[in-house]
Amino acid sequence: ILFFILVFWKKERLRGISLKYPALVFLFLGGFFNGRGILHKGPVAYLSAALTFFAYWVYQRFRFYVNGPQFLFFTLAALLVMLTWFGLETWKNGPWFVQEFTRYQYRLFSTPDAGHRGFPGYHFAVLLLGVFPASLFALRAFFRMPPEAHDHLRDFRSWMKFLFWVVLILFTIVQSKIVHYSSMCYFPLTYLAALVAEKIIRGELPMARWMKGLLVGLGLVYALLIVALPFVGQHIELLVPLFKNDPFAQANLEADVRWTGLEALPGLLLAGLLLGSLWLFNRQRFIRGFQLLLGGIPVFIMLSLYFFIGRIETYSQRAAVEFFEDKAGRDVHLMTYGYRSYVHLFYGRPLQAGRACFEEEGCHQHLLEGDIDRPVYLSTKIHRAAPLRQMEGLEEIGERNGFVFFRRMPRN
């Protein structure tokens, strides 16, 4: 998208920027990187870029800011990169993979695939809460702003707004709701936030009360939650009534997790950062305020990860992880039943002769009922275990923190 923008700037000879390379170079580079995006994430990479270009075309009152051959060249460059893999794959193995890949992408778009269902405002909440505090400052950029010093900077701000809304609306429509699907919004969002911060520092924008209010209000909610978590962890019985209809979650809470109280430190740090930056903002010391806030937030994040990720993982899946780790390197088959996971694929490290099932047609049924040449080990969740307990040839070998483990041995 950036290289496509440079083509337009070169054509318009915008003031304040010098572009020495020909337009075809920028078009090829834009297509090249878009082709890489297609290889990584499928047709949505091209769709996101094309919709952004379309939105800007409408903004230009349907004036062709690049001509047809230029757009075709961009598309062909993307297609060329895409064919370096999809083309060779089709030539060697036929169209099966490309067809299945395309079906999968359509399924993600039209259905809540893999159980990832969410409410319509899911990605709005993800960006507002997950890209804190940049999201709060970026909000200001969607209203009337002081003019930029150069035409290309003003134009770039418009492009970033279009990119942001295209990606956000596109993945609001997509039925599968996964946190990182809106990650393309991080780039325009943080650019717009930085632009607002720069104008506040330069005195071109006031630090509005609602910015300070949201910053401290939302941030203190984060801080209070972090401070409260160790207390809740030490009195886990308080959570049990909340999950009375979820036997798996109740069993998760039985995991042996040690809480010391030191886990509250990131929350206290965040509260200090917020109050300190607010004190500096109120005294018009904006550079120091942003330095404190944006320098301290990464420290808060790293401390939170250090104190909480391992403990949360112990509740959510440590039992299954350790079960499959114990099978790593063995000549066995591994599978999960009734839920989707990568745990057995990663931690089990099955030998080439073994088999680790993951959404393979007939694989699960074969390992449960068909002829097998090596042991089968599988995990399921406690509320999914009843059918397996009734299945002939399956031996229950353990139960822990909501997971139930089974083994099936070859007949000979």
Side-chain angles (χ1 to χ4, degrees):
I1 291 175
L2 172 62
F3 284 115
F4 198 88
I5 294 170
L6 296 182
V7 174
F8 172 59
W9 288 354
K10 188 172 183 68
K11 174 187 175 185
E12 296 294 311
R13 295 185 175 89
L14 296 186
R15 294 184 298 106
I17 186 168
S18 175
L19 301 168
K20 62 180 179 179
Y21 295 107
L24 285 180
V25 172
F26 295 132
L27 284 169
F28 177 79
L29 289 172
F32 174 84
F33 286 111
N34 193 254
R36 292 291 300 272
I38 297 171
L39 289 180
H40 283 291
K41 290 300 294 179
V44 71
Y46 184 85
L47 180 63
S48 299
L51 288 175
T52 304
F53 302 154
F54 176 80
Y56 191 82
W57 179 56
V58 175
Y59 171 70
Q60 289 282 318
R61 299 179 181 179
F62 304 100
R63 179 174 71 92
F64 285 98
Y65 56 94
V66 296
N67 58 43
Q70 287 178 323
F71 185 78
L72 181 62
F73 184 79
F74 170 89
T75 301
L76 290 175
L79 184 65
L80 179 65
V81 175
M82 183 186 75
L83 289 176
T84 58
W85 200 90
F86 287 119
L88 288 173
E89 163 65 25
T90 302
W91 176 71
K92 183 179 179 182
N93 299 314
W96 176 86
F97 178 84
V98 174
Q99 290 172 353
E100 290 300 312
F101 183 75
T102 304
R103 288 194 188 102
Y104 174 69
Q105 297 296 327
Y106 175 76
R107 193 165 70 247
L108 285 177
F109 190 90
S110 59
T111 65
D113 190 70
H116 294 284
R117 187 187 300 272
F119 62 99
Y122 176 85
H123 286 294
F124 288 86
V126 164
L127 294 171
L128 178 64
L129 302 176
V131 197
F132 175 86
S135 57
L136 306 184
F137 294 102
L139 283 174
R140 179 61 184 81
F142 291 101
F143 300 95
R144 186 177 181 86
M145 291 275 286
E148 307 297 336
H150 299 288
D151 292 342
H152 73 285
L153 294 177
R154 183 177 63 253
D155 187 64
F156 192 71
R157 186 176 71 191
S158 298
W159 276 103
M160 291 300 97
K161 289 180 182 179
F162 291 131
L163 174 59
F164 176 86
W165 286 114
V166 162
V167 173
L168 184 54
I169 293 171
L170 176 63
F171 287 103
T172 296
I173 296 171
V174 170
Q175 295 299 301
S176 292
K177 306 298 184 186
I178 301 177
V179 169
H180 66 264
Y181 275 16
S182 56
S183 58
M184 184 68 173
C185 288
Y186 301 169
F187 295 97
L189 187 151
T190 50
Y191 173 80
L192 294 172
L195 187 63
V196 169
E198 180 186 44
K199 291 192 177 298
I200 290 173
I201 290 169
R202 291 183 174 181
E204 298 176 25
L205 272 179
M207 183 73 157
R209 288 183 179 179
W210 66 264
M211 289 187 197
K212 298 175 185 177
L214 280 177
L215 177 67
V216 176
L218 190 57
L220 287 180
V221 170
Y222 267 118
L224 289 172
L225 289 174
I226 296 293
V227 171
L229 273 176
F231 172 80
V232 174
Q234 291 171 341
H235 301 83
I236 204 69
E237 67 277 2
L238 297 174
L239 293 180
V240 173
L242 301 177
F243 300 100
K244 60 183 179 181
N245 297 322
D246 190 339
F248 177 68
Q250 286 189 328
N252 284 164
L253 297 176
E254 296 173 2
D256 183 18
V257 181
R258 182 172 176 265
W259 295 90
T260 66
L262 293 175
E263 299 82 12
L265 287 176
L268 297 175
L269 171 65
L270 179 59
L273 290 172
L274 294 168
L275 296 175
S277 59
L278 179 64
W279 185 85
L280 290 167
F281 290 148
N282 284 336
R283 281 154 182 77
Q284 307 297 307
R285 298 170 64 181
F286 295 116
I287 293 179
R288 292 296 185 191
F290 282 116
Q291 287 175 337
L292 177 64
L293 182 64
L294 301 181
I297 288 292
V299 178
F300 158 73
I301 292 172
M302 292 304 298
L303 284 176
S304 299
L305 293 174
Y306 174 78
F307 280 115
F308 292 106
I309 289 298
R311 289 176 170 85
I312 293 172
E313 187 259 1
T314 300
Y315 286 118
S316 64
Q317 64 176 26
R318 178 69 59 82
V321 168
E322 292 182 350
F323 174 76
F324 287 114
E325 275 185 331
D326 182 61
K327 310 300 179 288
R330 298 192 194 182
D331 190 9
V332 297
H333 297 303
L334 304 174
M335 61 178 285
T336 60
Y337 177 86
Y339 72 102
R340 302 184 183 189
S341 175
Y342 293 102
V343 166
H344 62 302
L345 301 172
F346 183 80
Y347 293 99
R349 304 189 184 280
L351 296 176
Q352 188 172 359
R355 193 174 188 182
C357 282
F358 184 75
E359 295 302 301
E360 297 176 44
E361 186 177 353
C363 175
H364 288 80
Q365 205 62 29
H366 171 76
L367 294 186
L368 287 173
E369 298 178 349
D371 293 331
I372 54 174
D373 55 353
R374 49 185 60 81
V376 175
Y377 290 91
L378 65 102
S379 75
T380 190
K381 295 182 177 180
I382 191 170
H383 58 291
R384 308 275 189 184
L388 298 179
R389 286 175 171 144
Q390 299 173 6
M391 194 170 290
E392 185 179 352
L394 271 182
E395 174 191 4
E396 184 175 335
I397 59 175
E399 179 180 332
R400 182 181 164 203
N401 303 146
F403 292 94
V404 185
F405 308 108
F406 292 86
R407 176 176 60 196
R408 183 179 180 223
M409 301 297 291
R411 292 179 181 176
N412 297 327

